[in-house]
């Protein structure tokens, strides 16, 4: 290979490299200058709810167990053999006031009444005989009347005998009343409209006076004793003894699976004491006709039965110009965050009227249409840029 070819092999790569560097330098120096762009802060994404000022009713929530308005234990007052039991007389059966539940064999008590009637007749006849003897004795005394005696000796005119006969007649009359009362007591009837809770009777069973044989509960009304905080009482109308004031309305609720059952009730009284352990007052709510025995057209399948554990919602006092917001919207130091017309955060102090189950009633600086922020924002401060996650919720 000649010297000329060697020179070309050495110089040519150097020339190509130099031309490339010059071209790259030219392109770098002549490239367009990039435009400087400033990105705008869109604001924190928040969920808001619109404040609405209107009349709000205080709702107070409590729980309790359904118990009978009236419950009695039937205790026998006579001895005897049970010879009749009403059809269906068993736990869970319903009876109207005055209906026969069961009866004790009455023949012995019927005979006792007859004997007492006969004794009364004899006692009345004895009085008639003594009255006649007394009249004859007085006539005889008047005929033989001594000048130094104004009145005859009581024994002469049968005075003590007459009083004794009257006392005997009264005692026999009382025995007759007792015998008739015992006869009535052989028939046990429902003392009020009731449901049988338990019974221990059967035809042929011998029972004695003083034995407890059944327990019945009223079905005209049921009661729920509801413990409440003392602060809740100021919102309710509680009837006082001797006062015709109507108590607050209440709704009794029971959730079974996916079904919600409701009954209307009324606050009827306070038990007048505070529980020493819980420091809570106890109020009594009454529900009329819990088994719907007198209600026509009732379609709800479930009755308000004894022993149910239910929720009670009291309808308390109604307040004007109140704003109700979710509890999540309440911030520290009794404040709420709102999104103003410039879509910026504004901290507003409010007056807490009442903390409810899921919401808060507030007064103060909130106005109709204010967008109350529900989203938690770490480091949130006045003037912070916001944007609403609610479609169409902006000013």
């Amino acid at each position: 290979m000649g010297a000329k070819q060697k020179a070309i092999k050495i110089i040519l790569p150097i020339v190509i490299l130099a031309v490339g560097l010059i071209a790259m330098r030219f392109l770098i120096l002549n490239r367009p200058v990039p435009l400087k762009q400033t990105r705008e802060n869109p604001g924190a994404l928040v969920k808001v709810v619109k404040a609405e000022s209107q009349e709000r009713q205080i709702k107070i929530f409590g729980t309790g167990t359904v118990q009978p308005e009236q419950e009695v234990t039937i205790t026998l007052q006579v001895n005897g053999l049970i010879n009749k039991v009403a059809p269906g007389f068993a736990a869970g059966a319903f009876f109207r006031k005055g209906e026969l539940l069961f009866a004790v064999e009455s023949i012995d008590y019927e005979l006792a009444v007859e004997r007492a009637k006969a004794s009364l007749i004899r006692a009345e006849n004895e009085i008639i005989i003594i009255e006649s003897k007394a009249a004859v004795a007085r006539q005889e005394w008047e005929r033989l009347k001594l000048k130094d005696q104004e009145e005859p000796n009581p024994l002469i005119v049968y005075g003590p005998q007459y009083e004794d006969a009257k006392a005997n007649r009264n005692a026999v009359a009382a025995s007759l009343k007792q015998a008739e009362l015992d006869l009535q007591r052989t028939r046990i009837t429902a003392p009020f409209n009731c449901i049988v809770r338990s019974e221990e009777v059967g035809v042929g069973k011998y029972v004695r006076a003083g034995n407890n044989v059944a327990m019945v509960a009223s079905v005209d009304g049921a009661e729920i004793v509801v413990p409440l905080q003392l602060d809740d009482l100021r919102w309710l109308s509680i009837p006082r003894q001797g006062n015709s004031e109507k108590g607050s309305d209440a709704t009794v609720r029971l959730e079974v699976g996916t079904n919600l059952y409701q009954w209307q009730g009324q606050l009827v009284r306070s038990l007048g004491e505070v529980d020493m352990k819980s420091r809570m007052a106890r109020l009594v709510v009454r529900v009329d006709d819990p088994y719907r025995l007198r209600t026509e057209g009732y379609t709800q399948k479930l009755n308000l039965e004894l022993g149910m554990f239910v929720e009670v919602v009291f309808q308390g006092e109604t307040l004007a110009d109140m704003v109700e917001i979710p509890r999540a919207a309440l911030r520290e130091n009794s404040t709420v965050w709102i999104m103003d017309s410039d879509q910026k955060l504004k901290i507003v102090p409010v007056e807490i009227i009442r903390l409810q189950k899921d919401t808060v009633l507030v007064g103060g600086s909130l106005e109709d249409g204010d967008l109350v922020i529900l989203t938690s924002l770490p480091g949130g401060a006045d003037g912070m840029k916001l944007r609403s996650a609610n479609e169409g919720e902006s000013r």
Side-chain angles (χ1 to χ4, degrees), residues 122-139 156-167 169:
R122 287 195 297 270
E124 289 176 343
N125 289 339
E126 181 67 19
I127 290 176
I128 293 172
I129 293 172
I130 292 176
E131 285 177 340
S132 299
K133 289 182 178 179
V136 172
R138 178 166 286 278
Q139 290 176 358
I156 295 176
V157 292
Y158 291 85
Q161 296 91 324
Y162 178 73
E163 294 299 327
D164 185 62
K166 284 202 305 182
R169 191 266 313 273

PDB file of all heavy atoms in Angstrom, residues 122-139 156-167 169:
ATOM      1  N   ARG A 122    -133.908 -18.360 108.991  1.00  0.00           N
ATOM      2  CA  ARG A 122    -134.131 -18.683 110.398  1.00  0.00           C
ATOM      3  C   ARG A 122    -133.817 -17.482 111.295  1.00  0.00           C
ATOM      4  O   ARG A 122    -134.533 -17.199 112.255  1.00  0.00           O
ATOM      5  CB  ARG A 122    -133.284 -19.891 110.802  1.00  0.00           C
ATOM      6  CG  ARG A 122    -133.793 -21.216 110.251  1.00  0.00           C
ATOM      7  CD  ARG A 122    -133.156 -22.396 110.977  1.00  0.00           C
ATOM      8  NE  ARG A 122    -131.707 -22.417 110.765  1.00  0.00           N
ATOM      9  CZ  ARG A 122    -131.122 -23.060 109.755  1.00  0.00           C
ATOM     10  NH1 ARG A 122    -131.858 -23.718 108.862  1.00  0.00           N
ATOM     11  NH2 ARG A 122    -129.810 -23.056 109.632  1.00  0.00           N
ATOM     12  N   ALA A 123    -132.734 -16.787 110.976  1.00  0.00           N
ATOM     13  CA  ALA A 123    -132.356 -15.641 111.806  1.00  0.00           C
ATOM     14  C   ALA A 123    -133.394 -14.528 111.709  1.00  0.00           C
ATOM     15  O   ALA A 123    -133.705 -13.871 112.727  1.00  0.00           O
ATOM     16  CB  ALA A 123    -130.982 -15.130 111.363  1.00  0.00           C
ATOM     17  N   GLU A 124    -133.942 -14.295 110.524  1.00  0.00           N
ATOM     18  CA  GLU A 124    -134.971 -13.263 110.385  1.00  0.00           C
ATOM     19  C   GLU A 124    -136.260 -13.665 111.102  1.00  0.00           C
ATOM     20  O   GLU A 124    -136.942 -12.814 111.699  1.00  0.00           O
ATOM     21  CB  GLU A 124    -135.222 -13.011 108.897  1.00  0.00           C
ATOM     22  CG  GLU A 124    -134.051 -12.291 108.221  1.00  0.00           C
ATOM     23  CD  GLU A 124    -134.245 -12.126 106.733  1.00  0.00           C
ATOM     24  OE1 GLU A 124    -135.117 -12.836 106.181  1.00  0.00           O
ATOM     25  OE2 GLU A 124    -133.531 -11.292 106.121  1.00  0.00           O
ATOM     26  N   ASN A 125    -136.595 -14.958 111.025  1.00  0.00           N
ATOM     27  CA  ASN A 125    -137.780 -15.430 111.758  1.00  0.00           C
ATOM     28  C   ASN A 125    -137.591 -15.279 113.262  1.00  0.00           C
ATOM     29  O   ASN A 125    -138.545 -14.960 113.999  1.00  0.00           O
ATOM     30  CB  ASN A 125    -138.078 -16.892 111.412  1.00  0.00           C
ATOM     31  CG  ASN A 125    -138.608 -17.053 109.996  1.00  0.00           C
ATOM     32  OD1 ASN A 125    -139.120 -16.099 109.411  1.00  0.00           O
ATOM     33  ND2 ASN A 125    -138.484 -18.258 109.438  1.00  0.00           N
ATOM     34  N   GLU A 126    -136.396 -15.531 113.736  1.00  0.00           N
ATOM     35  CA  GLU A 126    -136.116 -15.388 115.159  1.00  0.00           C
ATOM     36  C   GLU A 126    -136.341 -13.941 115.594  1.00  0.00           C
ATOM     37  O   GLU A 126    -136.887 -13.693 116.689  1.00  0.00           O
ATOM     38  CB  GLU A 126    -134.674 -15.818 115.449  1.00  0.00           C
ATOM     39  CG  GLU A 126    -134.273 -15.742 116.916  1.00  0.00           C
ATOM     40  CD  GLU A 126    -135.020 -16.746 117.782  1.00  0.00           C
ATOM     41  OE1 GLU A 126    -135.571 -17.730 117.238  1.00  0.00           O
ATOM     42  OE2 GLU A 126    -135.050 -16.531 119.012  1.00  0.00           O
ATOM     43  N   ILE A 127    -135.965 -13.000 114.773  1.00  0.00           N
ATOM     44  CA  ILE A 127    -136.187 -11.589 115.099  1.00  0.00           C
ATOM     45  C   ILE A 127    -137.677 -11.293 115.175  1.00  0.00           C
ATOM     46  O   ILE A 127    -138.147 -10.582 116.096  1.00  0.00           O
ATOM     47  CB  ILE A 127    -135.499 -10.688 114.047  1.00  0.00           C
ATOM     48  CG1 ILE A 127    -133.978 -10.775 114.190  1.00  0.00           C
ATOM     49  CG2 ILE A 127    -135.952  -9.232 114.180  1.00  0.00           C
ATOM     50  CD1 ILE A 127    -133.221 -10.007 113.145  1.00  0.00           C
ATOM     51  N   ILE A 128    -138.429 -11.845 114.223  1.00  0.00           N
ATOM     52  CA  ILE A 128    -139.885 -11.610 114.232  1.00  0.00           C
ATOM     53  C   ILE A 128    -140.502 -12.164 115.507  1.00  0.00           C
ATOM     54  O   ILE A 128    -141.365 -11.515 116.140  1.00  0.00           O
ATOM     55  CB  ILE A 128    -140.524 -12.266 112.991  1.00  0.00           C
ATOM     56  CG1 ILE A 128    -140.040 -11.542 111.719  1.00  0.00           C
ATOM     57  CG2 ILE A 128    -142.053 -12.221 113.083  1.00  0.00           C
ATOM     58  CD1 ILE A 128    -140.468 -12.228 110.432  1.00  0.00           C
ATOM     59  N   ILE A 129    -140.092 -13.365 115.928  1.00  0.00           N
ATOM     60  CA  ILE A 129    -140.637 -13.979 117.140  1.00  0.00           C
ATOM     61  C   ILE A 129    -140.305 -13.132 118.363  1.00  0.00           C
ATOM     62  O   ILE A 129    -141.171 -12.869 119.227  1.00  0.00           O
ATOM     63  CB  ILE A 129    -140.090 -15.412 117.303  1.00  0.00           C
ATOM     64  CG1 ILE A 129    -140.642 -16.308 116.184  1.00  0.00           C
ATOM     65  CG2 ILE A 129    -140.435 -15.976 118.686  1.00  0.00           C
ATOM     66  CD1 ILE A 129    -140.013 -17.682 116.145  1.00  0.00           C
ATOM     67  N   ILE A 130    -139.080 -12.685 118.465  1.00  0.00           N
ATOM     68  CA  ILE A 130    -138.668 -11.887 119.616  1.00  0.00           C
ATOM     69  C   ILE A 130    -139.384 -10.546 119.619  1.00  0.00           C
ATOM     70  O   ILE A 130    -139.793 -10.042 120.689  1.00  0.00           O
ATOM     71  CB  ILE A 130    -137.140 -11.702 119.619  1.00  0.00           C
ATOM     72  CG1 ILE A 130    -136.460 -13.035 119.890  1.00  0.00           C
ATOM     73  CG2 ILE A 130    -136.704 -10.660 120.636  1.00  0.00           C
ATOM     74  CD1 ILE A 130    -134.955 -12.992 119.830  1.00  0.00           C
ATOM     75  N   GLU A 131    -139.598  -9.939 118.455  1.00  0.00           N
ATOM     76  CA  GLU A 131    -140.340  -8.677 118.393  1.00  0.00           C
ATOM     77  C   GLU A 131    -141.763  -8.877 118.911  1.00  0.00           C
ATOM     78  O   GLU A 131    -142.311  -8.016 119.624  1.00  0.00           O
ATOM     79  CB  GLU A 131    -140.360  -8.154 116.957  1.00  0.00           C
ATOM     80  CG  GLU A 131    -139.036  -7.549 116.503  1.00  0.00           C
ATOM     81  CD  GLU A 131    -139.073  -7.116 115.055  1.00  0.00           C
ATOM     82  OE1 GLU A 131    -139.948  -7.608 114.310  1.00  0.00           O
ATOM     83  OE2 GLU A 131    -138.222  -6.296 114.647  1.00  0.00           O
ATOM     84  N   SER A 132    -142.373 -10.008 118.550  1.00  0.00           N
ATOM     85  CA  SER A 132    -143.733 -10.289 119.018  1.00  0.00           C
ATOM     86  C   SER A 132    -143.755 -10.471 120.530  1.00  0.00           C
ATOM     87  O   SER A 132    -144.646  -9.937 121.238  1.00  0.00           O
ATOM     88  CB  SER A 132    -144.283 -11.549 118.334  1.00  0.00           C
ATOM     89  OG  SER A 132    -144.335 -11.361 116.941  1.00  0.00           O
ATOM     90  N   LYS A 133    -142.786 -11.251 121.045  1.00  0.00           N
ATOM     91  CA  LYS A 133    -142.726 -11.460 122.490  1.00  0.00           C
ATOM     92  C   LYS A 133    -142.472 -10.136 123.218  1.00  0.00           C
ATOM     93  O   LYS A 133    -143.041  -9.882 124.288  1.00  0.00           O
ATOM     94  CB  LYS A 133    -141.613 -12.448 122.828  1.00  0.00           C
ATOM     95  CG  LYS A 133    -141.925 -13.876 122.413  1.00  0.00           C
ATOM     96  CD  LYS A 133    -140.795 -14.812 122.828  1.00  0.00           C
ATOM     97  CE  LYS A 133    -141.126 -16.264 122.465  1.00  0.00           C
ATOM     98  NZ  LYS A 133    -140.034 -17.182 122.845  1.00  0.00           N
ATOM     99  N   ALA A 134    -141.666  -9.293 122.642  1.00  0.00           N
ATOM    100  CA  ALA A 134    -141.370  -8.009 123.271  1.00  0.00           C
ATOM    101  C   ALA A 134    -142.618  -7.138 123.323  1.00  0.00           C
ATOM    102  O   ALA A 134    -142.868  -6.432 124.315  1.00  0.00           O
ATOM    103  CB  ALA A 134    -140.246  -7.304 122.507  1.00  0.00           C
ATOM    104  N   ALA A 135    -143.421  -7.164 122.278  1.00  0.00           N
ATOM    105  CA  ALA A 135    -144.642  -6.355 122.244  1.00  0.00           C
ATOM    106  C   ALA A 135    -145.630  -6.834 123.315  1.00  0.00           C
ATOM    107  O   ALA A 135    -146.258  -6.014 124.022  1.00  0.00           O
ATOM    108  CB  ALA A 135    -145.274  -6.449 120.856  1.00  0.00           C
ATOM    109  N   VAL A 136    -145.784  -8.147 123.446  1.00  0.00           N
ATOM    110  CA  VAL A 136    -146.692  -8.701 124.466  1.00  0.00           C
ATOM    111  C   VAL A 136    -146.193  -8.342 125.862  1.00  0.00           C
ATOM    112  O   VAL A 136    -146.977  -7.947 126.756  1.00  0.00           O
ATOM    113  CB  VAL A 136    -146.822 -10.228 124.317  1.00  0.00           C
ATOM    114  CG1 VAL A 136    -147.603 -10.829 125.500  1.00  0.00           C
ATOM    115  CG2 VAL A 136    -147.512 -10.561 123.002  1.00  0.00           C
ATOM    116  N   ALA A 137    -144.880  -8.450 126.089  1.00  0.00           N
ATOM    117  CA  ALA A 137    -144.320  -8.143 127.403  1.00  0.00           C
ATOM    118  C   ALA A 137    -144.508  -6.682 127.759  1.00  0.00           C
ATOM    119  O   ALA A 137    -144.784  -6.340 128.914  1.00  0.00           O
ATOM    120  CB  ALA A 137    -142.831  -8.505 127.416  1.00  0.00           C
ATOM    121  N   ARG A 138    -144.359  -5.788 126.770  1.00  0.00           N
ATOM    122  CA  ARG A 138    -144.545  -4.358 127.065  1.00  0.00           C
ATOM    123  C   ARG A 138    -146.006  -4.069 127.420  1.00  0.00           C
ATOM    124  O   ARG A 138    -146.289  -3.271 128.320  1.00  0.00           O
ATOM    125  CB  ARG A 138    -144.089  -3.524 125.880  1.00  0.00           C
ATOM    126  CG  ARG A 138    -144.291  -2.007 126.062  1.00  0.00           C
ATOM    127  CD  ARG A 138    -143.545  -1.229 125.043  1.00  0.00           C
ATOM    128  NE  ARG A 138    -142.116  -1.207 125.300  1.00  0.00           N
ATOM    129  CZ  ARG A 138    -141.509  -0.384 126.160  1.00  0.00           C
ATOM    130  NH1 ARG A 138    -142.243   0.435 126.916  1.00  0.00           N
ATOM    131  NH2 ARG A 138    -140.221  -0.418 126.321  1.00  0.00           N
ATOM    132  N   GLN A 139    -146.959  -4.715 126.703  1.00  0.00           N
ATOM    133  CA  GLN A 139    -148.385  -4.507 127.026  1.00  0.00           C
ATOM    134  C   GLN A 139    -148.681  -4.965 128.463  1.00  0.00           C
ATOM    135  O   GLN A 139    -149.413  -4.291 129.205  1.00  0.00           O
ATOM    136  CB  GLN A 139    -149.257  -5.271 126.032  1.00  0.00           C
ATOM    137  CG  GLN A 139    -149.231  -4.676 124.626  1.00  0.00           C
ATOM    138  CD  GLN A 139    -150.027  -5.511 123.647  1.00  0.00           C
ATOM    139  OE1 GLN A 139    -150.575  -6.570 124.022  1.00  0.00           O
ATOM    140  NE2 GLN A 139    -150.107  -5.052 122.388  1.00  0.00           N
ATOM    141  N   ILE A 156    -137.250  -7.677 130.663  1.00  0.00           N
ATOM    142  CA  ILE A 156    -138.679  -7.973 130.643  1.00  0.00           C
ATOM    143  C   ILE A 156    -139.243  -7.830 129.234  1.00  0.00           C
ATOM    144  O   ILE A 156    -140.085  -8.629 128.806  1.00  0.00           O
ATOM    145  CB  ILE A 156    -139.418  -7.040 131.627  1.00  0.00           C
ATOM    146  CG1 ILE A 156    -138.966  -7.346 133.061  1.00  0.00           C
ATOM    147  CG2 ILE A 156    -140.928  -7.194 131.487  1.00  0.00           C
ATOM    148  CD1 ILE A 156    -139.566  -6.417 134.095  1.00  0.00           C
ATOM    149  N   VAL A 157    -138.770  -6.802 128.493  1.00  0.00           N
ATOM    150  CA  VAL A 157    -139.310  -6.542 127.149  1.00  0.00           C
ATOM    151  C   VAL A 157    -138.385  -7.100 126.058  1.00  0.00           C
ATOM    152  O   VAL A 157    -138.405  -6.659 124.918  1.00  0.00           O
ATOM    153  CB  VAL A 157    -139.543  -5.028 126.935  1.00  0.00           C
ATOM    154  CG1 VAL A 157    -140.674  -4.536 127.832  1.00  0.00           C
ATOM    155  CG2 VAL A 157    -138.269  -4.248 127.209  1.00  0.00           C
ATOM    156  N   TYR A 158    -137.531  -8.066 126.408  1.00  0.00           N
ATOM    157  CA  TYR A 158    -136.679  -8.789 125.449  1.00  0.00           C
ATOM    158  C   TYR A 158    -135.697  -7.872 124.698  1.00  0.00           C
ATOM    159  O   TYR A 158    -135.355  -8.113 123.535  1.00  0.00           O
ATOM    160  CB  TYR A 158    -137.555  -9.525 124.424  1.00  0.00           C
ATOM    161  CG  TYR A 158    -138.333 -10.676 125.002  1.00  0.00           C
ATOM    162  CD1 TYR A 158    -139.572 -10.472 125.611  1.00  0.00           C
ATOM    163  CD2 TYR A 158    -137.824 -11.972 124.951  1.00  0.00           C
ATOM    164  CE1 TYR A 158    -140.291 -11.518 126.158  1.00  0.00           C
ATOM    165  CE2 TYR A 158    -138.545 -13.037 125.477  1.00  0.00           C
ATOM    166  CZ  TYR A 158    -139.771 -12.806 126.083  1.00  0.00           C
ATOM    167  OH  TYR A 158    -140.471 -13.859 126.627  1.00  0.00           O
ATOM    168  N   GLY A 159    -135.213  -6.863 125.357  1.00  0.00           N
ATOM    169  CA  GLY A 159    -134.241  -5.973 124.709  1.00  0.00           C
ATOM    170  C   GLY A 159    -132.935  -6.672 124.338  1.00  0.00           C
ATOM    171  O   GLY A 159    -132.519  -6.660 123.162  1.00  0.00           O
ATOM    172  N   PRO A 160    -132.243  -7.310 125.297  1.00  0.00           N
ATOM    173  CA  PRO A 160    -130.992  -8.003 124.954  1.00  0.00           C
ATOM    174  C   PRO A 160    -131.195  -9.137 123.957  1.00  0.00           C
ATOM    175  O   PRO A 160    -130.370  -9.359 123.063  1.00  0.00           O
ATOM    176  CB  PRO A 160    -130.499  -8.530 126.298  1.00  0.00           C
ATOM    177  CG  PRO A 160    -131.140  -7.632 127.311  1.00  0.00           C
ATOM    178  CD  PRO A 160    -132.478  -7.303 126.752  1.00  0.00           C
ATOM    179  N   GLN A 161    -132.330  -9.843 124.097  1.00  0.00           N
ATOM    180  CA  GLN A 161    -132.597 -10.943 123.181  1.00  0.00           C
ATOM    181  C   GLN A 161    -132.755 -10.427 121.742  1.00  0.00           C
ATOM    182  O   GLN A 161    -132.301 -11.065 120.770  1.00  0.00           O
ATOM    183  CB  GLN A 161    -133.870 -11.693 123.606  1.00  0.00           C
ATOM    184  CG  GLN A 161    -133.751 -12.373 124.954  1.00  0.00           C
ATOM    185  CD  GLN A 161    -134.215 -11.475 126.095  1.00  0.00           C
ATOM    186  OE1 GLN A 161    -134.002 -10.257 126.037  1.00  0.00           O
ATOM    187  NE2 GLN A 161    -134.812 -12.083 127.116  1.00  0.00           N
ATOM    188  N   TYR A 162    -133.409  -9.259 121.612  1.00  0.00           N
ATOM    189  CA  TYR A 162    -133.620  -8.679 120.291  1.00  0.00           C
ATOM    190  C   TYR A 162    -132.286  -8.255 119.651  1.00  0.00           C
ATOM    191  O   TYR A 162    -132.038  -8.522 118.463  1.00  0.00           O
ATOM    192  CB  TYR A 162    -134.563  -7.488 120.408  1.00  0.00           C
ATOM    193  CG  TYR A 162    -134.819  -6.789 119.089  1.00  0.00           C
ATOM    194  CD1 TYR A 162    -135.621  -7.373 118.120  1.00  0.00           C
ATOM    195  CD2 TYR A 162    -134.253  -5.548 118.834  1.00  0.00           C
ATOM    196  CE1 TYR A 162    -135.849  -6.738 116.923  1.00  0.00           C
ATOM    197  CE2 TYR A 162    -134.475  -4.906 117.640  1.00  0.00           C
ATOM    198  CZ  TYR A 162    -135.275  -5.493 116.676  1.00  0.00           C
ATOM    199  OH  TYR A 162    -135.495  -4.856 115.476  1.00  0.00           O
ATOM    200  N   GLU A 163    -131.425  -7.611 120.444  1.00  0.00           N
ATOM    201  CA  GLU A 163    -130.125  -7.188 119.920  1.00  0.00           C
ATOM    202  C   GLU A 163    -129.281  -8.394 119.517  1.00  0.00           C
ATOM    203  O   GLU A 163    -128.568  -8.368 118.502  1.00  0.00           O
ATOM    204  CB  GLU A 163    -129.383  -6.348 120.959  1.00  0.00           C
ATOM    205  CG  GLU A 163    -130.039  -5.009 121.288  1.00  0.00           C
ATOM    206  CD  GLU A 163    -130.120  -4.113 120.067  1.00  0.00           C
ATOM    207  OE1 GLU A 163    -129.211  -4.185 119.209  1.00  0.00           O
ATOM    208  OE2 GLU A 163    -131.095  -3.348 119.950  1.00  0.00           O
ATOM    209  N   ASP A 164    -129.378  -9.450 120.334  1.00  0.00           N
ATOM    210  CA  ASP A 164    -128.621 -10.670 120.017  1.00  0.00           C
ATOM    211  C   ASP A 164    -129.129 -11.302 118.716  1.00  0.00           C
ATOM    212  O   ASP A 164    -128.344 -11.777 117.881  1.00  0.00           O
ATOM    213  CB  ASP A 164    -128.738 -11.657 121.179  1.00  0.00           C
ATOM    214  CG  ASP A 164    -127.875 -12.879 120.960  1.00  0.00           C
ATOM    215  OD1 ASP A 164    -126.631 -12.720 120.877  1.00  0.00           O
ATOM    216  OD2 ASP A 164    -128.428 -13.988 120.819  1.00  0.00           O
ATOM    217  N   ALA A 165    -130.433 -11.285 118.511  1.00  0.00           N
ATOM    218  CA  ALA A 165    -131.012 -11.857 117.292  1.00  0.00           C
ATOM    219  C   ALA A 165    -130.589 -11.028 116.071  1.00  0.00           C
ATOM    220  O   ALA A 165    -130.316 -11.587 114.992  1.00  0.00           O
ATOM    221  CB  ALA A 165    -132.536 -11.904 117.414  1.00  0.00           C
ATOM    222  N   LYS A 166    -130.577  -9.701 116.213  1.00  0.00           N
ATOM    223  CA  LYS A 166    -130.142  -8.865 115.082  1.00  0.00           C
ATOM    224  C   LYS A 166    -128.675  -9.120 114.743  1.00  0.00           C
ATOM    225  O   LYS A 166    -128.305  -9.194 113.571  1.00  0.00           O
ATOM    226  CB  LYS A 166    -130.352  -7.378 115.419  1.00  0.00           C
ATOM    227  CG  LYS A 166    -131.786  -6.926 115.325  1.00  0.00           C
ATOM    228  CD  LYS A 166    -131.881  -5.412 115.127  1.00  0.00           C
ATOM    229  CE  LYS A 166    -131.145  -4.653 116.212  1.00  0.00           C
ATOM    230  NZ  LYS A 166    -131.295  -3.189 116.029  1.00  0.00           N
ATOM    231  N   ALA A 167    -127.843  -9.249 115.777  1.00  0.00           N
ATOM    232  CA  ALA A 167    -126.430  -9.525 115.536  1.00  0.00           C
ATOM    233  C   ALA A 167    -126.253 -10.865 114.833  1.00  0.00           C
ATOM    234  O   ALA A 167    -125.432 -11.007 113.915  1.00  0.00           O
ATOM    235  CB  ALA A 167    -125.662  -9.510 116.855  1.00  0.00           C
ATOM    236  N   ARG A 169    -128.509 -12.267 112.896  1.00  0.00           N
ATOM    237  CA  ARG A 169    -128.972 -12.092 111.521  1.00  0.00           C
ATOM    238  C   ARG A 169    -127.894 -11.433 110.662  1.00  0.00           C
ATOM    239  O   ARG A 169    -127.652 -11.843 109.524  1.00  0.00           O
ATOM    240  CB  ARG A 169    -130.249 -11.255 111.532  1.00  0.00           C
ATOM    241  CG  ARG A 169    -131.012 -11.208 110.188  1.00  0.00           C
ATOM    242  CD  ARG A 169    -130.638  -9.991 109.325  1.00  0.00           C
ATOM    243  NE  ARG A 169    -130.617  -8.772 110.038  1.00  0.00           N
ATOM    244  CZ  ARG A 169    -131.698  -7.980 110.228  1.00  0.00           C
ATOM    245  NH1 ARG A 169    -132.863  -8.321 109.745  1.00  0.00           N
ATOM    246  NH2 ARG A 169    -131.582  -6.834 110.884  1.00  0.00           N
TER     247      ARG A 169
END
